[in-house]
Amino acid sequence: METQHATIAMLTYQRNTLLAAVLPALLDQAGRSPVPTRVLVVDNDPSGQAAPVVRAAQERAREQGVVLRYVHEPVPGIVAGRNRALEESGDDLLVFIDDDEEPGPGWLEALLDAHERLGCEAVTGPTPPRFTRPASAWVRHSGAFDSWQAPDGGVVTSADTGNLLLDLGAVRRMGLRFDPRYGLSGGEDSLFTRQLSQAGGTIRFAADAVVTKIVPEGRARRPWVLRRSLRAGSSWVSVRLDTASGSRARLRALYALKGVGRVGRDWPRALVGRARGDVAAWARHEVSAWGGVGMVVGALGGRVHEYGRSPHAFRVRDLMSGKARRRPAGTGSGPRTQSPARPASSAPHAGPDTPAPHAAAGPTRPGTRPGPAASPAPPGSFRPGHAPLPPGGTPSPRAAAGPSAHGPVRVLVAVPTYRRPTDLARALRGVLGQIPDLRGVADVEVLVVDNDPAASARAQATGGPVRYVVEQVPGVAAVRNRALDEARAHDLLVFIDDDEEPEPGWLAALVGLRARTGCQAVAGLVVPDYEVEPDEWVRQGGFFVRRTWPTGTRRPVAASNCLLLDLGFVREHGLRFDADFGATGGEDTLFTRQLTAAGGTILWCDEARVRDHVPASRLDHAWILRRQRSHAATAVRVELALGGSPARVRVRAALGGGARILAGGAAAAGGLGGGLRRRARGARLLARGRGMLDAALDRPGHREYGQR
């Protein structure tokens, strides 16, 4: 029989001290192996910090006659590292061990012996823990680090890759790979080995193949254990759904009910155990309850990220302590590659159940182009002679007096556009027709900001006081920030979209209310103007109907498609549109929320109305519901960006989203009666609930303003 060859693969990420300690043990095991064995280190650190550690061990490897290889896998996530190990190993057998583990005496020989003796496709073994510091009684009784056991030589249906031998011949025949969907949540090994078993492979347990799991002090804590339990419950359900052969809808409902049942059973028991001082009962039941929460999350299609590097990752510690990570008002994420987006914002995502206030989208952008965000104006900067508003939003004497006190106020009307020549021409005619209404009161200039690098709108941007600029950086935030930059010599900035047409008196109403009150922003109503008559479902659902309020009503948030801004206040507080919302929309919601948080006042002007031209393509039911889902998700992401506790925001969104899914699904299916109106509004509620869950579970958002 031809001699087999083996590779020991160790994945590592920024654990150089542990790696340096375990490499000699791996080289010793490989040197004593009954089959030729190599050692492979896969470094998942983008900066490749493990390379010097491996180079330092090369001399010892040569002395022992062992081949030691290093490969760099910069793609983040445990799945990328494991699949890289599969690709790099051309041998017959592949043995996985983690960089926070120590192989016991005879570990490799026990795995190889079980594989040869039992003729199986995979072998696993026990992984008992070793705490770097004594663990608390709660941690010890939680069972979170206990090693699972099975009879020596017994068959198991799944295993983890911290201690696993794979027959690569069988793996290749079955076409198995680690699933990238599990790259940040973990559970990829459970899915892989479960698929191996379902494909006819056998996994055996070798009791003598022991590796010790090193548990650092940071993990031997209650918050970490509960977070791991949450993740484990979610992954457990996800793996079973992905390997199920029956109806997934029924399984989702079943697992969700099981999760709810576990929470209802174990959480009271945990509280009782804690009250009685029974640490074992407290720990055991609390871990089980959080696992139940994870099961519900998994049943609803969510994943809890353990290996991600997101600034808003779900943290049990935040939920328990109430700590929040805050972003200062008026700041974005700094220069970054901005996703393609249209430079015409939707209406504000004021809350998860706010009806879609701006259904007609503006220009979209094909392709993705990197570009730095525009530099923000220095806080407090203003044009000489223009008195900024003092803190708190109180108008300066000149602002309160209105334009007549010191001559005409300087107004810039900005019209973002992207390849809509007919719509743009109509919008410009409407805006230019309003300028005579303000003669002697305001000096009005019109700015067209074209987001098309080919400058396709140049021909339409002619006549009267119209200025034309091209913004090369794609996306709605870049275009709106360009308008802010171009308005340095102006007092007021007014936004209107290129697919809108102002009604008579629109501009005078905005400027007049600002002059009378000295507020920092004025918002008006967007009225739909349908290209074709919408069907009854659309009308009954009220998808394009925006709310209005009496003129002078204070609003906490506003859309930028019919909005006047006091530039003195904006400059004083360094407000900018956040590029993080370039592809999903919501940049105007965040901007105006930050404006009010800084002490500014937004007033409603019912007389300032624009007509939004809604094309027939936007009346499609699927498009409408996708927009509702996107708006609800963005509302949650805005709350995260404003600095609320990430865990609390996500939990509230998950619970609220789940409730909306249940109520909306029942109404949409006709189970609550009420006819077409209730079904349409139930569908809207269901879509918004799904959007809230998307954001709560950190799923990628719908790129509403991305590629067409």
Side-chain angles (χ1 to χ4, degrees), residues 90-134:
D91 294 324
D92 306 289
L93 305 173
L94 178 62
V95 181
F96 278 115
I97 186 172
D98 289 346
D99 62 352
D100 58 350
E101 295 177 335
E102 296 175 344
W107 160 72
L108 181 60
E109 292 184 50
L111 290 175
L112 294 171
D113 175 70
H115 173 260
E116 182 180 8
R117 179 167 45 87
L118 301 173
C120 52
E121 284 71 34
V123 184
T124 188
T127 56
R130 177 172 68 81
F131 297 97
T132 58
R133 294 281 300 272

Side-chain angles (χ1 to χ4, degrees), residues 94 163 188 258 315 323 351 377 395 409 452 555 574 610 636 638:
L94 178 62
N163 185 6
E188 82 295 337
K258 284 187 175 181
R315 301 196 306 173
K323 294 180 180 178
V409 67
D452 182 7
R555 300 294 304 139
V610 297
V636 177
V638 166

Side-chain angles (χ1 to χ4, degrees), residues 473-498:
V473 178
V476 60
V479 172
R480 297 205 183 281
N481 284 329
R482 178 65 180 272
L484 289 176
D485 296 336
E486 294 290 334
R488 291 189 182 94
H490 295 79
D491 305 309
L492 305 176
L493 176 62
V494 178
F495 280 113
I496 183 173
D497 286 354
D498 64 348

Side-chain angles (χ1 to χ4, degrees), residues 3-4 257 345 360 428 430 472 539 541 634 703:
T3 301
Q4 291 187 315
L257 289 174
S345 171
L428 287 176
Q472 298 285 345
R539 287 197 298 270
T634 301
R703 300 170 66 86

